[in-house]
Structure formats: C-alpha cells, structure tokens
Amino acid sequence: MEGQPRTTRLRWLPNAITCLRLAALPVLAWFLAVDEGPTSARAAWFFGAIGATDFIDGQLARRLGAESKFGAIADPFADRMLMAVGLIGLITLDRYAWPGPIIILARDLIAVIAFVVLARRGVTLRVDAAGKISSGMAMFAVGLALLIDHRSIDVYFWIAVVVSIATFANYSWGIARKLQSSGST
C-alpha cells in the first residue's frame, strides 16, 4: 500500500459511502416514525445529509477512477431507498396524502424492475439529463416538505410529481423504441 498513489488507496471510499448511506436509512425511518407531523426538522436535515453523500460518492468515484459494478447497482439502489423512506415518511407524518408520494414510488419501482429485466435482455439503460433533473427535483421536494409546511413547498412537490411522470413517459417511449429497433418484444 505504501508505494501506491493516494487515489488508488482510496478507491474503496465511494462504495463505503454508499454503504453508509444505506445503513443510515433505518435511523431516518425511525425519526419519521416517532416524530409528530406534519414536518420533522431532524428527519429533513438527516435526509439532506444522506442525499448529499450521493453527490460526494459520485464525485469521488469519478475522480478516483473507482467506478465499479457494485457502485453502479448500489448507488442508484441507495438513492431509490432514500426516496422511498422519505416519501413514506411524508405520508406517515400526514404531510401529504398517498397519491403524490405513491406516484414517485411507483415510477421508481417500475424503473428498477425495467432496468433489471432489460439488462437481462442485453438492453442497457442510461439516466439522461431529464432523469437526473427529475430525480434531483423530487429529492429536493421531499427534503423541503419534511422541513417546511408551506403552500409554496406543496406546489414545488407537485411540480416534481408531474416532472416524474413526464420523465417516466419519456423513458418508456425510449425503451419501446429500443426494443422495437432490436426486434425484441
């Protein structure tokens, strides 16, 4: 290890951060379960801190040349699980009725299933800019909604829901075109 450059020695760090993000989710769930709604400042700040680690581990993975198969699967899984806990928390805090959070949860669940099914068929899916913007908007909306009970946050949350639906439709259309051009059904 002594002769290796620092970047080589730290290649484990992005995946470790992803694992810590997953390990933090039960704590977030506990905050959401015991706090009285409609908001929870500690859950909101914890949600934000966990979400920030997604950016950090991604940057580190690229800078350290530490992108891995594990990270390619675990990182988006951790993101989806963070969103799931946050969205379910919004329901349990009585911040929102179920339709909005469930729409985003369903989109994420269907996307994960599609990713797995299509990967088995040899079709790879990439997250495009619209998908990243949509996910970022939804994550930001959940964090804000956990922190602040205000009409402007509600409007932003519902905009994030609509953008989630639009990007899902865009991905669905793209997948259908890919499958059609490859001759798969």
Side-chain angles (χ1 to χ4, degrees):
M1 285 291 239
E2 201 171 294
Q4 293 180 332
R6 171 171 273 151
T7 56
T8 303
R9 288 184 294 186
L10 295 176
R11 293 185 78 202
W12 58 272
L13 190 56
N15 286 338
I17 292 170
T18 298
C19 290
L20 285 174
R21 189 161 72 240
L22 286 166
L25 293 177
V27 176
L28 176 61
W30 182 78
F31 288 159
L32 293 164
V34 300
D35 288 354
E36 293 189 27
T39 61
S40 168
R42 68 178 172 172
W45 289 110
F46 199 64
F47 180 91
I50 296 169
T53 65
D54 179 40
F55 175 77
I56 293 167
D57 68 16
Q59 290 295 314
L60 282 173
R62 284 184 284 287
R63 287 187 179 168
L64 297 172
E67 293 163 317
S68 67
K69 286 182 181 182
F70 174 80
I73 294 169
D75 184 66
F77 176 73
D79 295 344
R80 301 292 58 91
M81 293 305 298
L82 173 61
M83 285 299 295
V85 172
L87 289 162
I88 292 167
L90 290 173
I91 296 168
T92 61
L93 288 170
D94 287 327
R95 178 72 173 88
Y96 292 121
W98 65 268
I102 294 300
I103 288 169
I104 297 174
L105 280 169
R107 178 209 60 175
D108 286 351
L109 179 62
I110 293 167
V112 167
I113 292 169
F115 176 83
V116 171
V117 168
L118 293 170
R120 288 183 176 173
R121 290 182 167 191
V123 178
T124 57
L125 297 177
R126 299 260 184 241
V127 178
D128 62 11
K132 288 182 182 186
I133 290 168
S134 173
S135 293
M137 283 180 70
M139 190 171 287
F140 193 63
V142 169
L144 284 175
L146 288 170
L147 183 63
I148 303 166
D149 183 9
H150 190 270
R151 184 169 176 81
S152 62
I153 304 303
D154 298 344
V155 169
Y156 182 76
F157 178 82
W158 283 100
I159 290 170
V161 170
V162 169
V163 170
S164 293
I165 294 168
T167 55
F168 178 76
N170 183 52
Y171 277 120
S172 298
W173 184 67
I175 291 168
R177 279 194 345 235
K178 251 186 178 180
L179 290 175
Q180 192 174 40
S181 69
S182 70
S184 300
T185 54

